[in-house]
Amino acid sequence: SQQGEEDPQALSIQEGENATMNCSYKTSINNLQWYRQNSGRGLVHLILIRSNEREKHSGRLRVTLDTSKKSSSLLITASRAADTASYFCATDGSGNYQLIWGAGTKLIIKP
Amino acid sequence: NAGVTQTPKFQVLKTGQSMTLQCAQDMNHEYMSWYRQDPGMGLRLIHYSVGAGITDQGEVPNGYNVSRSTTEDFPLRLLSAAPSQTSVYFCASSLDRGRGETQYFGPGTRLLVL
């Protein structure tokens, strides 16, 4: 079963624009993570936000968390071609040692 | 550090064959896990381990076995391959017992079962 659901499923924007993708989840969580996956590669951790945090920044990334709505958003500012990838959210709400993953948002940055 | 390594990168099996996917990490991580990734779906947890000698089932364990005799290695065995096991398999590790910790992923193994 999937805890997190990202939307949109796919997003295509021009280089330099901002990209926003969203993640919704079903149960209470301790934290939420975002990962990036370049085509044919393993996932790479981007950022972790804890349930008591509302916003977090890392370079061009901004993550928000709204626990009342059970949702998170990932904003990538000033997008670059290298940002072309799939982005996944993962939550730990299962209460054990398992992360639950969404199906991902495929982001394409057009030059 | 090499991080998390996986072998092989690609494998083609016939239905009924068995094989072992290898995973190793050199970061002294306690927690290791195996996922499969299918098109249009997120990662699904197959098995995980919170330390040497300790393993447990994830969401989709049927048809797979694991063992953890050392901290470094966490092989995944397909007992009798089926076409439904065609997928990309990822091994991941994290420093602590896994819940909510940053996962470090290997490059993946692409498996095709005919």
Side-chain angles (χ1 to χ4, degrees), chain A residues 98-111:
Chain A
Q98 302 182 26
L99 287 177
I100 307 298
W101 298 80
T105 292
K106 187 170 184 178
L107 175 65
I108 296 173
I109 308 299
K110 295 179 288 187

PDB file of all heavy atoms in Angstrom, chain A residues 98-111:
ATOM      1  N   GLN A  98       9.809   0.775   8.533  1.00  0.00           N
ATOM      2  CA  GLN A  98       9.588   0.833   7.105  1.00  0.00           C
ATOM      3  C   GLN A  98       9.228   2.235   6.659  1.00  0.00           C
ATOM      4  O   GLN A  98       8.413   2.906   7.278  1.00  0.00           O
ATOM      5  CB  GLN A  98       8.459  -0.126   6.721  1.00  0.00           C
ATOM      6  CG  GLN A  98       8.711  -1.563   7.121  1.00  0.00           C
ATOM      7  CD  GLN A  98       7.592  -2.473   6.684  1.00  0.00           C
ATOM      8  OE1 GLN A  98       6.890  -2.183   5.730  1.00  0.00           O
ATOM      9  NE2 GLN A  98       7.429  -3.581   7.377  1.00  0.00           N
ATOM     10  N   LEU A  99       9.835   2.666   5.570  1.00  0.00           N
ATOM     11  CA  LEU A  99       9.413   3.888   4.900  1.00  0.00           C
ATOM     12  C   LEU A  99       8.371   3.518   3.857  1.00  0.00           C
ATOM     13  O   LEU A  99       8.459   2.475   3.213  1.00  0.00           O
ATOM     14  CB  LEU A  99      10.595   4.561   4.209  1.00  0.00           C
ATOM     15  CG  LEU A  99      11.632   5.253   5.088  1.00  0.00           C
ATOM     16  CD1 LEU A  99      12.757   5.793   4.237  1.00  0.00           C
ATOM     17  CD2 LEU A  99      10.998   6.358   5.914  1.00  0.00           C
ATOM     18  N   ILE A 100       7.393   4.366   3.704  1.00  0.00           N
ATOM     19  CA  ILE A 100       6.357   4.158   2.700  1.00  0.00           C
ATOM     20  C   ILE A 100       6.535   5.212   1.620  1.00  0.00           C
ATOM     21  O   ILE A 100       6.612   6.408   1.931  1.00  0.00           O
ATOM     22  CB  ILE A 100       4.954   4.233   3.313  1.00  0.00           C
ATOM     23  CG1 ILE A 100       4.836   3.272   4.502  1.00  0.00           C
ATOM     24  CG2 ILE A 100       3.908   3.908   2.257  1.00  0.00           C
ATOM     25  CD1 ILE A 100       5.023   1.818   4.151  1.00  0.00           C
ATOM     26  N   TRP A 101       6.535   4.774   0.360  1.00  0.00           N
ATOM     27  CA  TRP A 101       6.906   5.634  -0.749  1.00  0.00           C
ATOM     28  C   TRP A 101       5.718   5.949  -1.644  1.00  0.00           C
ATOM     29  O   TRP A 101       4.848   5.112  -1.863  1.00  0.00           O
ATOM     30  CB  TRP A 101       7.977   4.939  -1.596  1.00  0.00           C
ATOM     31  CG  TRP A 101       9.224   4.666  -0.840  1.00  0.00           C
ATOM     32  CD1 TRP A 101       9.452   3.635   0.025  1.00  0.00           C
ATOM     33  CD2 TRP A 101      10.413   5.448  -0.864  1.00  0.00           C
ATOM     34  NE1 TRP A 101      10.723   3.735   0.543  1.00  0.00           N
ATOM     35  CE2 TRP A 101      11.323   4.822   0.021  1.00  0.00           C
ATOM     36  CE3 TRP A 101      10.796   6.606  -1.541  1.00  0.00           C
ATOM     37  CZ2 TRP A 101      12.599   5.332   0.234  1.00  0.00           C
ATOM     38  CZ3 TRP A 101      12.072   7.103  -1.329  1.00  0.00           C
ATOM     39  CH2 TRP A 101      12.957   6.466  -0.451  1.00  0.00           C
ATOM     40  N   GLY A 102       5.728   7.144  -2.191  1.00  0.00           N
ATOM     41  CA  GLY A 102       4.783   7.506  -3.220  1.00  0.00           C
ATOM     42  C   GLY A 102       5.272   7.037  -4.576  1.00  0.00           C
ATOM     43  O   GLY A 102       6.392   6.533  -4.709  1.00  0.00           O
ATOM     44  N   ALA A 103       4.430   7.223  -5.600  1.00  0.00           N
ATOM     45  CA  ALA A 103       4.749   6.763  -6.957  1.00  0.00           C
ATOM     46  C   ALA A 103       5.644   7.738  -7.701  1.00  0.00           C
ATOM     47  O   ALA A 103       6.164   7.416  -8.766  1.00  0.00           O
ATOM     48  CB  ALA A 103       3.470   6.506  -7.741  1.00  0.00           C
ATOM     49  N   GLY A 104       5.817   8.940  -7.176  1.00  0.00           N
ATOM     50  CA  GLY A 104       6.772   9.868  -7.753  1.00  0.00           C
ATOM     51  C   GLY A 104       6.184  10.863  -8.738  1.00  0.00           C
ATOM     52  O   GLY A 104       5.124  10.645  -9.335  1.00  0.00           O
ATOM     53  N   THR A 105       6.885  11.983  -8.887  1.00  0.00           N
ATOM     54  CA  THR A 105       6.596  12.991  -9.911  1.00  0.00           C
ATOM     55  C   THR A 105       7.770  13.023 -10.863  1.00  0.00           C
ATOM     56  O   THR A 105       8.914  13.188 -10.442  1.00  0.00           O
ATOM     57  CB  THR A 105       6.407  14.387  -9.287  1.00  0.00           C
ATOM     58  OG1 THR A 105       5.219  14.412  -8.516  1.00  0.00           O
ATOM     59  CG2 THR A 105       6.320  15.448 -10.382  1.00  0.00           C
ATOM     60  N   LYS A 106       7.460  12.878 -12.153  1.00  0.00           N
ATOM     61  CA  LYS A 106       8.511  12.951 -13.171  1.00  0.00           C
ATOM     62  C   LYS A 106       8.624  14.388 -13.645  1.00  0.00           C
ATOM     63  O   LYS A 106       7.684  14.949 -14.202  1.00  0.00           O
ATOM     64  CB  LYS A 106       8.192  12.029 -14.341  1.00  0.00           C
ATOM     65  CG  LYS A 106       9.319  11.922 -15.347  1.00  0.00           C
ATOM     66  CD  LYS A 106       9.049  10.818 -16.352  1.00  0.00           C
ATOM     67  CE  LYS A 106      10.237  10.651 -17.294  1.00  0.00           C
ATOM     68  NZ  LYS A 106      10.015   9.542 -18.256  1.00  0.00           N
ATOM     69  N   LEU A 107       9.777  14.998 -13.407  1.00  0.00           N
ATOM     70  CA  LEU A 107      10.018  16.401 -13.747  1.00  0.00           C
ATOM     71  C   LEU A 107      10.939  16.476 -14.965  1.00  0.00           C
ATOM     72  O   LEU A 107      12.014  15.882 -14.973  1.00  0.00           O
ATOM     73  CB  LEU A 107      10.652  17.128 -12.562  1.00  0.00           C
ATOM     74  CG  LEU A 107      11.073  18.575 -12.800  1.00  0.00           C
ATOM     75  CD1 LEU A 107       9.848  19.445 -13.079  1.00  0.00           C
ATOM     76  CD2 LEU A 107      11.856  19.102 -11.605  1.00  0.00           C
ATOM     77  N   ILE A 108      10.494  17.225 -15.967  1.00  0.00           N
ATOM     78  CA  ILE A 108      11.306  17.449 -17.163  1.00  0.00           C
ATOM     79  C   ILE A 108      11.552  18.941 -17.293  1.00  0.00           C
ATOM     80  O   ILE A 108      10.599  19.730 -17.294  1.00  0.00           O
ATOM     81  CB  ILE A 108      10.611  16.905 -18.421  1.00  0.00           C
ATOM     82  CG1 ILE A 108      10.455  15.383 -18.309  1.00  0.00           C
ATOM     83  CG2 ILE A 108      11.402  17.278 -19.679  1.00  0.00           C
ATOM     84  CD1 ILE A 108       9.632  14.775 -19.423  1.00  0.00           C
ATOM     85  N   ILE A 109      12.819  19.315 -17.380  1.00  0.00           N
ATOM     86  CA  ILE A 109      13.203  20.711 -17.548  1.00  0.00           C
ATOM     87  C   ILE A 109      13.621  20.907 -19.004  1.00  0.00           C
ATOM     88  O   ILE A 109      14.596  20.312 -19.477  1.00  0.00           O
ATOM     89  CB  ILE A 109      14.368  21.097 -16.615  1.00  0.00           C
ATOM     90  CG1 ILE A 109      14.048  20.709 -15.170  1.00  0.00           C
ATOM     91  CG2 ILE A 109      14.673  22.589 -16.742  1.00  0.00           C
ATOM     92  CD1 ILE A 109      12.837  21.375 -14.604  1.00  0.00           C
ATOM     93  N   LYS A 110      12.888  21.744 -19.705  1.00  0.00           N
ATOM     94  CA  LYS A 110      13.174  21.994 -21.121  1.00  0.00           C
ATOM     95  C   LYS A 110      14.157  23.149 -21.249  1.00  0.00           C
ATOM     96  O   LYS A 110      13.990  24.179 -20.598  1.00  0.00           O
ATOM     97  CB  LYS A 110      11.875  22.318 -21.844  1.00  0.00           C
ATOM     98  CG  LYS A 110      10.893  21.148 -21.865  1.00  0.00           C
ATOM     99  CD  LYS A 110       9.601  21.515 -22.570  1.00  0.00           C
ATOM    100  CE  LYS A 110       8.780  22.456 -21.725  1.00  0.00           C
ATOM    101  NZ  LYS A 110       7.438  22.704 -22.313  1.00  0.00           N
ATOM    102  N   PRO A 111      15.180  22.973 -22.080  1.00  0.00           N
ATOM    103  CA  PRO A 111      16.192  24.048 -22.224  1.00  0.00           C
ATOM    104  C   PRO A 111      15.652  25.257 -22.976  1.00  0.00           C
ATOM    105  O   PRO A 111      14.651  25.190 -23.661  1.00  0.00           O
ATOM    106  CB  PRO A 111      17.301  23.361 -23.038  1.00  0.00           C
ATOM    107  CG  PRO A 111      16.620  22.248 -23.752  1.00  0.00           C
ATOM    108  CD  PRO A 111      15.483  21.786 -22.886  1.00  0.00           C
TER     109      PRO A 111
END
